[in-house]
């Protein structure tokens, strides 16, 4: 168990390091450079070259990456090319907004989808099972931005119940936050529910074919009790893993959803930074998004092992 945890953490750190290189390489290969973006097209070649030397842009790519990585490990991703502020100072308040959005959706979607998946397993083959599968497949097949625009049209344009633009500030009241977050959170819930529902149902039904479940059924124990007391604990490994993976995808999905609803989160900041070619902000957002995604996937593997007694206990004869 200990060796698995160490190996999984090490692989996660290597993944983050590799992703950071890809992010830096991708932004470094973009046409133009930071010096030209900062000084403008009318700057003289001498002035541009002087700033390139000051920024270290005349150094080889590997040297630039190692210098950037060293600064990033100390929380310094450089300064924004658009306003001269430190990239992290711009990013942290937006990160807080993104986490509020993602975890608000997670608090709703995880218990809801698990409950529906359990009930679908209990009612296997019945109308509820069929309808829940069709509805989840419908939303799974739709792009997240399309779901967002449909909700805006229905609830913001037609019925005028919620705002189409989710603008919030630090001074916004709790009621204002709830009002502004309703449509973005609902969009994320509809996008994420299908995976949790299907895995929960499949994991429970997979355990239902075990010998001890068949023995319990022959004793006349009600099906709902068998599922809740016998099947569910042994299916927790898969359910916990998909819950953590769903949270990781929620963090990634906020990039699209924030752009759709103009929500002031890290995803919206990244989209704006790409539009303005603000490379330091793009790099900071890309690395942080990737790190969160990798860490949550790593936790999915670790928690999946922790809740599975068969994987925690050493094998006999080993």
């Amino acid at each position: 168990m200990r060796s698995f945890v160490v190996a999984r953490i090490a692989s996660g750190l290597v993944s983050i390091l590799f992703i950071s290189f890809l992010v830096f390489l991708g932004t470094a290969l973009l046409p133009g450079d930071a010096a030209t973006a900062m000084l403008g097209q009318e700057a003289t070649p001498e002035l541009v070259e002087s700033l390139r030397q000051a920024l270290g842009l005349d150094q080889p790519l590997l040297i630039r990456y190692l210098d950037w990585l060293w600064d990033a490990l100390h929380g310094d991703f450089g300064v924004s090319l658009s306003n001269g502020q430190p990239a992290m100072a711009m990013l942290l308040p937006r990160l807080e907004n993104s986490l509020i959005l993602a975890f608000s959706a997670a608090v709703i979607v995880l218990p809801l989808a698990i409950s529906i998946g359990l009930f679908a397993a209990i009612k296997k083959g019945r109308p509820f099972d069929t309808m829940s599968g069709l509805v989840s497949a419908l939303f799974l097949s739709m792009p997240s931005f399309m779901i967002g625009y449909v909700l805006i049209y229905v609830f913001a344009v037609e019925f005028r119940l919620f705002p189409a633009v989710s603008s919030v500030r630090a001074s916004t009241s709790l009621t204002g936050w709830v009002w502004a977050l309703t449509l973005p959170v609902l969009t994320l819930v509809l996008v994420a529910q299908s995976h949790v529902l299907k895995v929960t149902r499949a994991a429970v039904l997979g355990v239902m074919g075990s010998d001890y479940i068949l023995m319990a059924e022959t004793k006349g124990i009600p099906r709902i009790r068998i599922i809740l007391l016998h099947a569910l604990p042994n299916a927790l490994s898969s359910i916990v893993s998909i819950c953590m993976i769903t949270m990781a995808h929620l963090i990634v999905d906020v990039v699209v959803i924030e752009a759709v609803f103009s929500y002031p989160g890290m995803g919206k900041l990244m989209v704006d930074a790409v539009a303005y070619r603000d490379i330091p902000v793009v790099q900071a957002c890309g690395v942080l998004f990737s790190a969160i995604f990798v860490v949550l996937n790593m936790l999915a593997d670790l928690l999946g092992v922790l809740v599975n007694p068969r994987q925690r206990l050493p094998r006999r004869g080993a």
Side-chain angles (χ1 to χ4, degrees):
M1 177 63 185
R2 183 180 301 175
S3 60
F4 172 79
V5 172
V6 172
R8 190 64 186 88
I9 293 175
S11 65
L13 294 176
V14 171
S15 298
I16 295 174
L17 184 64
F18 180 68
I19 290 171
S20 72
F21 177 74
L22 292 181
V23 170
F24 183 85
L25 179 64
T27 54
L29 294 178
L30 291 174
D33 57 27
T36 304
M38 293 175 67
L39 295 175
Q41 298 294 332
E42 298 180 358
T44 62
E46 294 78 10
L47 187 58
V48 172
E49 184 61 29
S50 176
L51 183 58
R52 281 178 54 84
Q53 294 178 2
L55 295 175
L57 297 178
D58 58 332
Q59 299 293 322
L61 179 63
L62 181 60
I63 300 299
R64 288 161 51 197
Y65 167 70
L66 293 176
D67 291 339
W68 173 82
L69 179 63
W70 177 257
D71 292 336
L73 291 175
H74 292 79
D76 181 11
F77 283 90
V79 297
S80 170
L81 303 183
S82 60
N83 56 24
Q85 295 183 8
M88 286 300 292
M90 297 175 58
L91 189 147
L92 290 179
R94 299 294 193 97
L95 173 61
E96 181 180 355
N97 290 345
S98 294
L99 292 178
I100 291 174
L101 175 59
F103 283 101
S104 296
V107 167
I108 297 174
V109 70
L110 296 182
L112 178 64
I114 290 174
S115 300
I116 296 175
L118 283 174
F119 199 64
I122 295 172
K123 300 294 183 180
K124 179 186 177 183
R126 298 184 182 179
F128 180 85
D129 182 29
T130 303
M131 288 302 299
S132 62
L134 290 176
V135 172
S136 65
L138 172 64
F139 287 113
L140 180 63
S141 63
M142 296 175 63
S144 56
F145 68 87
M146 181 179 178
I147 297 176
Y149 285 130
V150 170
L151 293 180
I152 289 175
Y153 177 77
V154 174
F155 293 104
V157 177
E158 290 294 324
F159 293 101
R160 300 181 183 275
L161 296 175
F162 301 102
V165 176
S166 301
S167 58
V168 292
R169 298 182 178 85
S171 58
T172 302
S173 64
L174 179 59
T175 304
W177 273 92
V178 173
W179 191 55
L181 286 178
T182 298
L183 290 185
V185 167
L186 181 58
T187 304
L188 288 173
V189 168
L190 294 176
V191 169
Q193 52 80 32
S194 58
H195 295 288
V196 182
L197 189 158
K198 287 181 176 296
V199 170
T200 300
R201 179 184 180 278
V204 171
L205 291 178
V207 176
M208 291 296 291
S210 303
D211 293 337
Y212 69 94
I213 297 292
L214 298 176
M215 180 65 68
E217 289 178 339
T218 59
K219 293 180 179 180
I221 299 176
R223 182 178 177 85
I224 185 172
R225 185 177 179 184
I226 293 175
I227 288 178
L228 294 179
L229 298 182
H230 300 283
L232 181 58
N234 288 281
L236 275 181
S237 177
S238 299
I239 296 174
V240 169
S241 295
I242 193 59
C243 286
M244 296 303 300
I245 293 173
T246 299
M247 291 182 64
H249 283 285
L250 284 174
I251 295 293
V252 176
D253 284 337
V254 298
V255 177
V256 177
I257 302 306
E258 288 176 4
V260 170
F261 291 93
S262 295
Y263 178 75
M266 194 169 70
K268 181 65 165 57
L269 176 65
M270 185 176 182
V271 172
D272 292 341
V274 170
Y276 290 107
R277 300 180 59 81
D278 198 340
I279 302 303
V281 176
V282 174
Q283 292 172 338
C285 291
V287 170
L288 193 53
F289 266 126
S290 303
I292 294 174
F293 186 84
V294 170
V295 169
L296 289 176
N297 276 274
M298 181 174 61
L299 289 176
D301 292 341
L302 296 179
L303 291 176
V305 172
L306 289 175
V307 300
N308 190 337
R310 290 175 297 180
Q311 295 188 36
R312 290 203 311 267
L313 296 176
R315 296 179 180 178
R316 294 180 179 179

